[in-house]
């Protein structure tokens, strides 16, 4: 059941990113997703959708969903985690 939930979440995120990139954020290139990161003040990142297939990114999403849920007030996914941690994760994913 967890795997089905994750795959359906990925599908929703992919559709959501396409909708946002076309309607709200013209600077989000096709194949990318706007993500807002931070515990208090949010910083906007644009990451490749391929990150959604990476186990490290999936684990982060799963942990944050369980702890905080997802909130989309800015037209992207909001992740309540430290920006430094997110930077380390994306640096690792970029080098794969």
């Amino acid at each position: 059941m967890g795997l089905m939930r994750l795959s359906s979440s990925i599908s929703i995120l992919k559709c959501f990113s396409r909708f946002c990139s076309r309607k709200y954020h013209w600077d989000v290139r096709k194949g990318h997703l706007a993500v807002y990161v931070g515990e208090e003040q949010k910083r906007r990142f644009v990451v490749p959708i391929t990150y959604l297939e990476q186990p490290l990114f999936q684990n982060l999403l799963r942990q944050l969903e369980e702890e905080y849920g997802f909130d989309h007030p800015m037209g992207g996914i909001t992740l309540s985690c430290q920006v430094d941690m997110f930077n380390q994760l994306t640096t690792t994913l970029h080098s794969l």
Side-chain angles (χ1 to χ4, degrees), residues 1-62:
M1 178 159 158
L3 185 58
M4 288 188 65
R5 181 173 161 207
L6 180 59
S7 65
S8 66
S9 295
I10 290 171
S11 297
I12 290 168
L13 292 173
K14 286 182 180 180
C15 291
F16 184 76
S17 70
R18 282 189 216 113
F19 175 76
C20 289
S21 65
R22 289 185 187 147
K23 185 164 176 119
Y24 295 108
H25 296 290
W26 296 105
D27 62 329
V28 178
R29 296 182 316 254
K30 183 177 180 177
H32 289 73
L33 171 70
V35 179
Y36 295 88
V37 180
E39 296 179 68
E40 303 249 339
Q41 189 167 350
K42 305 300 182 199
R43 183 169 165 202
R44 186 169 183 259
F45 293 86
V46 177
V47 298
I49 288 178
T50 57
Y51 283 6
L52 297 173
E53 299 169 354
Q54 298 294 327
L56 287 173
F57 200 80
Q58 290 174 5
N59 288 337
L60 173 67
L61 290 176
R62 194 175 308 112

Side-chain angles (χ1 to χ4, degrees), residues 40-88:
E40 303 249 339
Q41 189 167 350
K42 305 300 182 199
R43 183 169 165 202
R44 186 169 183 259
F45 293 86
V46 177
V47 298
I49 288 178
T50 57
Y51 283 6
L52 297 173
E53 299 169 354
Q54 298 294 327
L56 287 173
F57 200 80
Q58 290 174 5
N59 288 337
L60 173 67
L61 290 176
R62 194 175 308 112
Q63 289 172 3
L64 292 173
E65 179 185 25
E66 289 173 7
E67 191 167 340
Y68 302 105
F70 289 121
D71 188 19
H72 311 288
M74 297 182 226
I77 295 175
T78 302
L79 304 174
S80 295
C81 65
Q82 295 178 354
V83 172
D84 290 340
M85 183 188 79
F86 188 78
N87 277 329
Q88 289 175 345

